[in-house]
Amino acid sequence: MRLYTKSQVIIFTLAGIVFAAAVSTSVSLSLANKSKNTDKEISVSEITEKQEEEVSFDFQNSDSTDYAISVSTDTAYTLDEKQNISVYEKCSPAVVNINTQVTGVNWFLEPIVQDGGSGSGSIIDKRGYVLTNVHVIKGASKIYVSLSDGTQYEAKIIGQDADSDLAVIKFEPPKDTELQTIAFGDSTKLKVGQKVIAIGNPYGFDRTMTTGIISALGRPLKDSSTNRIIRNMIQTDTAINPGNSGGPLLDTNGRMIGINTMIYSNSGSSAGIGFSVPAETAVRVASDLLKYGKVRRGTLELSVVQLNNTIAEYARLDINRGLLVSRTTKGGNAEKAGVIQGTQGVRYGYSNSIIYLGGDIITKIDNIEIATIADYYSALESKRPGDTVTITLHRNGKDREVQITLASPDEKGTTI
């Protein structure tokens, strides 16, 4: 048995008292904290329940119509949207869908009727005259025009002009029918960046509207089907697809400033590069087609041959580009202006036709370079009988200019 001194007993006693006090304090603090947390949880719960009471709805005892979701009836549009809507409502009734039928042959070489192409057109006269592209109706045995109200009529060709790829057709509307027409605008005042709108029937989707801007002006484009160059074309990024051909290109006032004609694309669909014949050309061509059934352009009374390396080397010419004047019409405008014809007859080409060497070479018409037959027709496309043009001739190694008044196409004109 171990004995402790009096001093040791006192020390151990005091230590026990201190330890007991520390344990008692710790338990008290723990209980106090738990009490506070309980109070906090109750407080939050009470607040949450109070908030739920404030925002909850009694759908059983209340009129549900009081809490129906409202739909805004505000139909405010931006200025751009208003322009688009106005142009579409004004012009879409005057845009027609054109479908054609062509005559083909079956396996037994018997003639049969087949579906042809489709495109668009614009009503330009209340009597049923429609402006479209030549390639839309090319080779058609029957042409059908569908209006915005769903009615369809058979149409006939009034006139067509391959040089501009424009044609006028006509259908007979019922009596008392008021057709909507599209007025022409002034394409000479167009600016690059100007907003334009196209309405047409791409892929057969009637009266589809697309918007864009004018990307460029004065583009010369070669029509691969006719090998003719159409000058002053309007380039636009407005979406133009197969079926849009012949439809109108409009300004924001709903005036037709172009006729959508072709696109540049590797896929056959819109690539953001479309081209339209300007209204300035369309007005002139349509007027002649309505009046004469053809376009009356001024002509030069002569026959020409397109130069190439073979002819240039054989004739020992110092240039190989331009149109060689083979013959001039006796007493015609070219002869009167002093144009010299060829004198040495030679056989040329697969047909062994006779051409004459030694004459002048046409290199420019009104400062437009002339290297091909397509250039020649393009330079004279907008010229009328009686107009005067400046012809640049290359003769004996030198250039000279002559003024020639163009003749009527009814007279003997250019022979190629």
Side-chain angles (χ1 to χ4, degrees):
M1 180 175 178
R2 186 175 181 181
L3 299 177
Y4 299 92
T5 63
K6 185 176 181 180
S7 59
Q8 289 177 327
V9 172
I10 294 172
I11 292 172
F12 289 145
T13 301
L14 292 174
I17 294 171
V18 171
F19 177 76
V23 171
S24 176
T25 302
S26 175
V27 171
S28 297
L29 290 174
S30 176
L31 291 174
N33 289 335
K34 184 175 181 181
S35 176
K36 289 180 180 180
N37 289 338
T38 302
D39 293 340
K40 183 177 181 181
E41 290 175 2
I42 293 173
S43 177
V44 171
S45 175
E46 289 176 351
I47 292 173
T48 303
E49 289 177 358
K50 185 177 181 181
Q51 289 176 340
E52 288 179 351
E53 289 176 358
E54 290 176 352
V55 300
S56 63
F57 295 100
D58 186 0
F59 289 102
Q60 295 180 349
N61 299 325
S62 63
D63 184 0
S64 61
T65 57
D66 293 341
Y67 307 104
I69 298 175
S70 62
V71 178
S72 175
T73 58
D74 184 11
T75 55
Y77 301 106
T78 65
L79 178 60
D80 187 60
E81 290 172 333
K82 289 179 180 179
Q83 286 179 336
N84 294 342
I85 294 169
S86 174
V87 170
Y88 187 81
E89 291 178 346
K90 176 182 178 181
C91 299
S92 62
V95 178
V96 302
N97 193 347
I98 300 175
N99 292 282
T100 65
Q101 290 183 341
V102 298
T103 301
V105 293
N106 59 19
W107 287 101
F108 303 100
L109 300 181
E110 297 171 335
I112 58 173
V113 177
Q114 301 173 324
D115 289 336
S118 64
S120 307
S122 302
I123 302 175
I124 58 174
D125 187 278
K126 292 181 180 295
R127 293 170 293 178
Y129 290 97
V130 175
L131 180 65
T132 186
N133 286 140
V134 170
H135 72 262
V136 171
I137 60 171
K138 186 176 182 180
S141 56
K142 287 190 176 182
I143 303 171
Y144 296 98
V145 171
S146 300
L147 306 186
S148 60
D149 61 4
T151 57
Q152 186 180 78
Y153 305 94
E154 187 171 351
K156 62 180 181 180
I157 299 175
I158 299 300
Q160 49 188 325
D161 179 55
D163 288 344
S164 61
D165 196 14
L166 295 177
V168 173
I169 60 177
K170 186 182 187 301
F171 68 95
E172 294 295 336
K175 291 183 179 179
D176 302 326
T177 299
E178 185 71 16
L179 295 176
Q180 181 69 40
T181 62
I182 298 180
F184 287 100
D186 188 355
S187 60
T188 63
K189 296 181 180 179
L190 298 178
K191 300 291 184 182
V192 174
Q194 178 177 336
K195 179 182 175 180
V196 287
I197 298 168
I199 301 178
N201 307 287
Y203 301 108
F205 292 100
D206 291 355
R207 279 156 284 280
T208 298
M209 183 178 78
T210 54
T211 63
I213 62 169
I214 294 176
S215 305
L217 294 167
R219 295 290 199 204
L221 263 295
K222 190 173 184 178
D223 187 342
S224 58
S225 62
T226 62
N227 204 33
R228 300 287 176 86
I229 296 175
I230 305 176
R231 295 191 181 273
N232 298 321
M233 295 281 277
I234 302 168
Q235 180 182 330
T236 177
D237 69 350
T238 306
I240 298 174
N241 286 290
N244 274 109
S245 292
L249 186 68
L250 307 159
D251 63 15
T252 52
N253 291 311
R255 295 171 299 200
M256 183 161 53
I257 48 88
I259 294 81
N260 299 320
T261 300
M262 63 183 74
I263 61 175
Y264 181 85
S265 172
N266 292 325
S267 64
S269 300
S270 175
I273 303 179
F275 299 94
S276 304
V277 176
E280 179 187 19
T281 300
V283 169
R284 173 172 46 81
V285 169
S287 298
D288 273 9
L289 293 179
L290 289 170
K291 189 174 182 179
Y292 307 109
K294 62 180 181 180
V295 178
R296 292 166 56 87
R297 293 186 175 89
T299 61
L300 296 172
E301 296 173 304
L302 43 70
S303 62
V304 294
V305 178
Q306 182 174 312
L307 278 183
N308 55 35
N309 289 331
T310 302
I311 296 176
E313 290 177 5
Y314 182 85
R316 296 182 179 178
L317 301 175
D318 58 344
I319 62 173
N320 59 5
R321 290 169 59 87
L323 299 184
L324 175 67
V325 178
S326 179
R327 306 300 278 173
T328 59
T329 301
K330 187 173 180 59
N333 57 5
E335 184 183 71
K336 291 177 180 178
V339 178
I340 296 177
Q341 65 180 0
T343 56
Q344 180 187 353
V346 297
R347 293 190 178 277
Y348 177 73
Y350 294 107
S351 61
N352 285 324
S353 59
I354 298 177
I355 64 173
Y356 292 85
L357 306 179
D360 289 334
I361 300 171
I362 298 175
T363 58
K364 290 182 182 180
I365 298 178
D366 283 345
N367 288 322
I368 298 175
E369 297 284 345
I370 306 298
T372 65
I373 298 297
D375 293 335
Y376 174 85
Y377 280 118
S378 177
L380 295 178
E381 192 278 328
S382 62
K383 304 301 182 182
R384 297 283 193 175
D387 288 350
T388 300
V389 295
T390 301
I391 309 294
T392 301
L393 302 172
H394 188 77
R395 181 191 302 169
N396 297 327
K398 296 181 180 180
D399 291 337
R400 64 191 66 202
E401 293 182 349
V402 296
Q403 306 290 320
I404 300 180
T405 300
L406 299 177
S408 170
D410 296 332
E411 303 170 25
K412 188 176 181 179
T414 303
T415 302
I416 305 302

